[in-house]
Amino acid sequence: ASDDLAAQFDQIVADGARIEPRDWMPDGYRSTLIRQIAQHAHSEIIGMQPEGNWLTRAPSLRRKAILMAKVQDEAGHGLYLYSAAETLGADRADLTGKLIEGRQKYSSIFNYPTPTFADVGTIGWLVDGAAICNQVPLCRTSFGPYARAMIRVCKEESFHQRQGYELLTTMMRGTPAQRRMVQESVDRWWWPALMMFGPPDDSSPNTAQSMAWGIKRHTNDELRQRFVDMSVPQAEALGVTFPDPDLVWNAERGHHDFGEPDWSEFMEVVKGNGATNLERIAVRRAAHEDGAWVRDAATAFAAREQEDDR
Ligand code: FAQ
């Protein structure tokens, strides 16, 4: 019977259809998905911090309202993703515990500081841009709840990307100092944005199996290339350059050639040694501890309601 179930699973994956929570699945498929979805959820939640830094300092009411809405959306994405992980048997409180104990990863990109307001625009343009590039194919990932979550998340990320680009175009129409601020910000974020796609294919331990299971639809390098090709004309329209002397159109390949990100920096950031890793986790831990009374009150309230029902 278990052979039948495995064959059924393989057939669903081969057909490009969706595996649902009650379907049989290999243990490795389940654990890979829990790992990836949890890392993704943690990234959304930790990802509120770099831009959150500017909420009280946004230069106008309009910019503040936009930024507040965007940061709230990221919280929503995180909760949506934790729920998708729960359909696989994970427990949200346990996942949060693993994050603040440093036992589960979140995206390297959120370990860089945001010293200027232009960073809000650059994060929207490049970081949300890279996120969309990576997540649109995940709308077709083989696990149903994850794929469906990605549809709404991608719609909201597209809005985030546009607000970032619009912010930068406004600054580029401003003073020379504002234009310099945009270029300086783009110089800092370009390489970290390329690292978001993960290590090169030949040193990506999970890609082959995740592609075979239909969890990933493209390799890390394929998506990185797509992002570079997409970003170059946008940079031209904006009037900024990327800090890569090797970035050049290759007519033969029909793609841009580009330089190698500093993979030793990536490894260090993923290991916890980036500029803001400690701060990000400390802030998340403090928020979790400060919120303990709310969880306790909600649990006590739910218990009393149940008692009243009896
Ligand atoms: N940072 O074998 P692979 C957002 C880890 S967007 C840290 O290639 P895989 C929106 C990897 O987990 C950001 N760790 O792994 C937003 C693995 O760890 P292991 C979140 C990284 O999974 C915008 C090891 O290295 N998006 O939040 C990174 O097949 C603005 C080996 O790598 C997602 O998570 C990295 N950059 O491919 C929010 C998308 N790259 O095995 C706020 C979903 C790799 O030790 C503001 N995830 N690692 O546990 C994915 O598509 C994949 O997981 C990849 C990595 C492509 C990220």
Side-chain angles (χ1 to χ4, degrees):
S2 81
D3 281 356
D4 285 355
L5 291 171
Q8 225 168 46
F9 171 88
D10 290 343
Q11 194 57 49
I12 293 172
V13 171
D15 290 347
R18 302 281 167 271
I19 304 291
E20 295 299 337
R22 286 193 183 84
D23 292 342
W24 181 90
M25 61 187 83
D27 291 343
Y29 178 84
R30 186 184 299 275
S31 62
T32 298
L33 272 168
I34 291 175
R35 174 187 63 81
Q36 178 168 324
I37 297 172
Q39 285 175 2
H40 194 164
H42 297 332
S43 303
E44 301 281 359
I45 297 296
I46 296 284
M48 296 167 76
Q49 292 184 40
E51 290 162 285
N53 183 34
W54 284 96
L55 278 175
T56 57
R57 275 166 284 183
S60 68
L61 182 62
R62 177 169 175 267
R63 291 295 171 199
K64 185 173 178 144
I66 294 170
L67 186 55
M68 194 113 76
K70 187 205 186 253
V71 171
Q72 272 180 14
D73 283 353
E74 310 298 357
H77 298 173
L79 299 186
Y80 224 49
L81 284 160
Y82 284 127
S83 298
E86 290 197 318
T87 69
L88 290 158
D91 172 67
R92 181 174 140 199
D94 175 57
L95 297 178
T96 299
K98 286 180 172 142
L99 169 67
I100 60 186
E101 284 157 23
R103 290 194 286 132
Q104 266 178 356
K105 297 186 170 82
Y106 60 92
S107 181
S108 52
I109 193 72
F110 302 116
N111 293 304
Y112 293 85
T114 44
T116 74
F117 188 68
D119 292 338
V120 171
T122 310
I123 289 177
W125 174 34
L126 294 179
V127 175
D128 286 280
I132 293 166
C133 209
N134 165 273
Q135 286 166 29
V136 165
L138 291 177
C139 296
R140 293 181 290 108
T141 194
S142 59
F143 186 59
Y146 191 28
R148 289 188 289 273
M150 281 303 107
I151 293 170
R152 174 177 175 161
V153 168
C154 284
K155 285 185 181 159
E156 294 184 350
E157 303 283 29
S158 299
F159 161 70
H160 297 168
Q161 203 257 358
R162 295 300 177 94
Q163 71 82 34
Y165 197 73
E166 191 268 346
L167 193 167
L168 296 181
T169 54
T170 305
M171 288 185 83
M172 291 303 283
R173 285 196 302 267
T175 63
Q178 285 177 304
R179 280 193 285 279
R180 278 197 301 276
M181 189 186 274
V182 173
Q183 181 63 59
E184 187 275 335
S185 173
V186 169
D187 287 344
R188 276 186 288 110
W189 289 96
W190 175 246
W191 291 111
L194 293 189
M195 294 173 194
M196 286 174 71
F197 296 92
D201 292 350
D202 56 17
S203 42
S204 163
N206 300 300
T207 293
Q209 182 61 71
S210 286
M211 299 268 289
W213 276 330
I215 294 175
K216 286 168 86 162
R217 295 296 184 188
H218 302 279
T219 72
N220 300 355
D221 285 332
E222 282 167 11
L223 293 174
R224 194 168 7 253
Q225 178 74 63
R226 186 178 288 187
F227 176 67
V228 171
D229 290 340
M230 187 176 99
S231 300
V232 168
Q234 294 173 355
E236 277 164 13
L238 192 59
V240 297
T241 56
F242 292 130
D244 179 359
D246 299 325
L247 182 58
V248 58
W249 175 250
N250 181 329
E252 210 168 287
R253 290 202 307 123
H255 291 291
H256 293 84
D257 291 338
F258 57 101
E260 197 68 30
D262 181 351
W263 292 115
S264 61
E265 174 184 314
F266 171 77
M267 296 307 292
E268 281 304 306
V269 173
V270 172
K271 267 194 282 176
N273 302 325
T276 65
N277 292 63
L278 290 178
E279 181 190 332
R280 299 288 185 244
I281 292 297
V283 167
R284 182 67 193 91
R285 179 188 288 276
H288 187 67
E289 286 167 4
D290 290 349
W293 69 272
V294 180
R295 293 189 296 277
D296 290 347
T299 309
F301 182 73
R304 206 178 62 196
E305 290 277 284
Q306 250 182 6
E307 214 139 277
D308 288 351
D309 285 349
R310 251 184 242 134

